[in-house]
């Protein structure tokens, strides 16, 4: 219920005083909600001059007027309103916000984040280690990620100190899993998953403590964990392969060769790739496909060429394998889907590895589109924004003109012939 008499509130809320209240509200919210100082209104209308004259108790005749806020406050208290300036504004609109106090509170909470980190470091067994000062300065420079509240920031930074104490403190022990370590600090086995802020904080500390550069890729970050005897999850993500025959006498190399001899596909984990000696004869051509069905068909046909499947957008384990093969001077041929995400992926793979496009030209697309139509295969509409193919400027216009998406399965017979050496 309003504290103002109804007639008084109606008059004060009239259009002749709207700009005044807006300006006064803005001033009070910026100056600590103090009815001090003055403000000036210009380009006054006739109605504004009339209403301001009544409100201020003096004639307002010009195009502008200066209003002293303390005088307005006194005038309102002595009027039918019977309330001060702040109370009147809050009767006419929402509660005032003391923005100066809000800013001060935000700055204080932000400072508390870093003083809390400094206190946690000082109280930990890490105190006195050379890298901790660099770590603190680095974190303070980079700041708290957008969207992280000060309370969450304090908790996460303290968890980082706890984890680093386990890894780098005087009582650090033997090998432990990353999930186990995360559960110890956060209660969740995923608390130190790659990409989380906590993981980055800890990894920054490890890198500084070991005087090494902070890695820019997932493989480098896994190596960083291993540096402090932490084993990241290296078994849940796999890359699908076929026909790899690495040189070497280890059981992993022999197992791959045996699977190739029996025309069997192989799923390799990051752990496998870490331990494998992936030495292939220089110049070996590795075919790369996007869809697992191509691998299955190559195995059924006893294909003779090596094949690696990205299984859609290439995951880190896929790139790790291809990087290792590239380092042994293998060459690559790439085939993927004729849709826009497929062309985008092909661009990435072809550029990264200098791969040869494998049946991925405009003529290949047009031939497949005509053949699938003649075979009565339902046409899949091509959705999304066109992507220019780095290897063939004519491909995107050809796809746009026909508007048909073609997945690898449509060209399976041709791909299998290539992999079988029949083409």
């Amino acid at each position: 219920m309003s504290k103002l008499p109804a007639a008084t509130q109606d008059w004060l809320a009239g259009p002749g005083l709207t700009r005044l209240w807006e300006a006064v509200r803005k001033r009070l919210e910026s100056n600590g909600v103090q009815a001090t100082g003055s403000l000036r209104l210009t380009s006054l209308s006739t109605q504004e001059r009339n209403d301001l004259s009544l409100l201020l108790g003096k004639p307002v005749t010009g195009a502008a007027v200066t209003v002293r806020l303390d005088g307005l406050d006194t005038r309102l208290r002595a009027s039918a309103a019977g309330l001060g300036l702040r109370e009147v504004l809050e009767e006419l609109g929402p509660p005032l916000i003391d923005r100066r106090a809000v800013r001060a509170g935000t700055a204080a909470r932000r400072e508390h984040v870093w003083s809390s980190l400094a206190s946690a470091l000082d109280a930990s067994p890490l105190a006195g280690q050379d890298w901790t000062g660099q770590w603190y300065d680095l974190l303070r420079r980079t700041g708290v990620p957008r969207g992280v509240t000060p309370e969450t920031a304090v908790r996460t930074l303290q968890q980082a100190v706890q984890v680093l104490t386990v890894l780098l403190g005087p009582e650090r022990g033997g090998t432990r899993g990353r999930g186990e370590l995360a559960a110890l600090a956060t209660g969740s086995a995923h608390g130190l998953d790659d990409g989380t802020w906590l993981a980055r904080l800890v990894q920054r500390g490890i890198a500084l403590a070991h005087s090494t550069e902070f890695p820019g890729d997932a493989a480098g970050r896994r190596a960083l964990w291993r540096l402090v005897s932490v084993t990241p999850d290296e078994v849940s993500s796999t890359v699908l392969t076929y026909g790899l025959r690495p040189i070497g006498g280890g059981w992993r190399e022999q197992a791959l060769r045996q699977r190739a001899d029996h025309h069997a596909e192989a799923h390799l984990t990051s752990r496998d790739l870490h331990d494998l000696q992936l030495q292939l004869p220089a110049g070996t051509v590795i075919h790369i496909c996007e869809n697992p069905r191509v691998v299955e068909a190559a195995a059924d046909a006893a294909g003779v060429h090596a094949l690696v499947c990205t299984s859609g957008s290439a995951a880190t384990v896929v790139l790790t394998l291809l990087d290792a093969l590239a380092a042994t001077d293998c060459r690559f041929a790439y085939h993927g889907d004729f849709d826009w995400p497929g062309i985008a992926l092909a661009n990435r793979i072809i550029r990264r590895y200098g791969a040869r496009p494998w049946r991925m030209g405009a003529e290949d697309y047009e031939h497949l589109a005509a053949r699938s139509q003649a075979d009565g295969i339902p046409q899949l509409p091509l959705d999304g924004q066109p992507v220019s193919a780095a290897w063939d400027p004519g491909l995107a216009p050809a796809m746009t003109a026909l508007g048909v998406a073609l997945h690898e399965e449509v060209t399976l017979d041709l791909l299998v012939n290539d992999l079988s050496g029949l083409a």
Side-chain angles (χ1 to χ4, degrees):
M1 182 176 177
S2 175
K3 298 177 182 176
L4 290 170
T8 304
Q9 178 156 3
D10 289 345
W11 185 79
L12 289 172
L17 297 176
T18 299
R19 286 206 297 145
L20 172 69
W21 301 133
E22 290 174 352
V24 174
R25 172 176 287 275
K26 186 176 180 181
R27 174 64 60 83
L28 262 62
E29 287 190 336
S30 67
N31 73 355
V33 198
Q34 301 298 314
T36 58
S38 59
L39 57 83
R40 188 169 176 79
L41 294 177
T42 61
S43 302
L44 296 175
S45 66
T46 301
Q47 184 172 6
E48 287 176 324
R49 281 196 295 271
N50 292 338
D51 289 354
L52 286 168
S53 296
L54 292 171
L55 179 67
L56 301 176
K58 63 180 183 180
V60 177
T61 57
V65 64
T66 298
V67 179
R68 289 184 56 84
L69 299 188
D70 56 350
L72 179 57
D73 181 71
T74 301
R75 176 81 177 162
L76 285 168
R77 291 180 187 278
S79 70
L83 299 174
L85 182 55
R86 174 174 182 167
E87 291 78 11
V88 167
L89 285 171
E90 292 186 332
E91 290 298 323
L92 297 176
L96 290 167
I97 298 172
D98 187 346
R99 300 194 186 282
R100 180 186 292 176
V102 170
R103 287 195 298 273
T106 301
R109 287 196 297 277
R110 188 182 303 125
E111 184 56 35
H112 173 66
V113 169
W114 303 114
S115 63
S116 174
L117 173 59
S119 298
L121 275 173
D122 289 343
S124 78
L126 301 174
Q129 293 195 19
D130 293 340
W131 61 272
T132 56
Q134 293 175 273
W135 186 62
Y136 175 88
D137 292 341
L138 174 65
L139 299 190
R140 181 142 195 176
R141 280 199 307 276
T142 53
V144 175
R146 187 184 300 273
V148 176
T149 65
E151 294 74 19
T152 300
V154 168
R155 184 174 63 252
T156 305
L157 288 165
Q158 290 178 344
Q159 289 170 341
V161 171
Q162 181 186 353
V163 173
L164 287 168
T165 298
V166 172
L167 300 178
L168 302 169
E171 296 182 1
R172 55 182 177 271
T175 300
R176 52 177 59 81
R178 183 172 57 179
E180 168 194 355
L181 189 64
L184 179 68
T186 70
S188 167
H190 299 288
L192 286 168
D193 281 359
D194 203 32
T196 62
W197 187 40
L198 178 58
R200 292 200 301 274
L201 293 172
V202 173
Q203 289 163 345
R204 291 281 184 192
I206 297 169
L208 287 170
H210 284 268
S211 300
T212 184
E213 291 292 324
F214 186 77
D217 56 24
R221 291 191 289 275
R222 284 198 299 273
L224 205 58
W225 284 121
R226 286 193 289 270
L227 205 57
V228 286
S229 301
V230 173
T231 55
D233 175 7
E234 294 187 319
V235 298
S236 60
S237 182
T238 63
V239 52
L240 177 60
T241 71
Y242 171 81
L244 288 180
R245 299 173 183 275
I247 301 169
W251 66 266
R252 285 186 171 84
E253 293 79 16
Q254 292 182 36
L256 264 183
R257 290 199 297 271
Q258 287 179 357
R259 292 193 71 85
D261 289 343
H262 289 84
H263 308 297
E265 71 285 351
H267 290 270
L268 300 177
T269 66
S270 292
R271 176 182 291 189
D272 290 327
L273 298 179
H274 180 63
D275 295 328
L276 262 170
Q277 298 297 316
L278 271 172
Q279 184 65 46
L280 274 72
T284 298
V285 176
I286 306 293
H287 288 73
I288 306 171
C289 64
E290 185 179 344
N291 299 289
R293 177 68 187 110
V294 180
V295 175
E296 190 176 40
D300 287 344
V304 297
H305 293 298
L307 184 62
V308 173
C309 181
T310 66
S311 299
S313 182
T316 298
V317 65
V318 176
L319 299 179
T320 301
L321 170 60
L322 294 176
D323 287 348
L325 293 171
T328 64
D329 293 329
C330 287
R331 293 179 288 134
F332 301 94
Y334 181 84
H335 189 276
D337 290 337
F338 282 111
D339 56 19
W340 301 129
I343 300 304
L345 173 61
N347 278 335
R348 291 199 297 275
I349 297 296
I350 287 173
R351 285 171 175 152
R352 181 172 177 131
Y353 299 106
R356 170 175 58 83
W358 173 25
R359 297 189 182 274
M360 286 291 287
E363 291 184 1
D364 298 308
Y365 170 77
E366 290 168 342
H367 167 72
L368 286 172
R371 192 179 75 163
S372 64
Q373 186 175 26
D375 291 344
I377 297 174
Q379 301 293 284
L380 190 64
L382 187 61
D383 296 325
Q385 292 295 317
V387 177
S388 179
W391 63 93
D392 186 346
L395 179 56
M399 291 172 63
T400 302
L402 295 182
V404 177
L406 297 169
H407 291 168
E408 277 189 309
E409 285 78 357
V410 175
T411 189
L412 205 54
D413 57 331
L414 300 177
L415 299 180
V416 169
N417 281 345
D418 293 340
L419 292 168
S420 302
L422 301 177

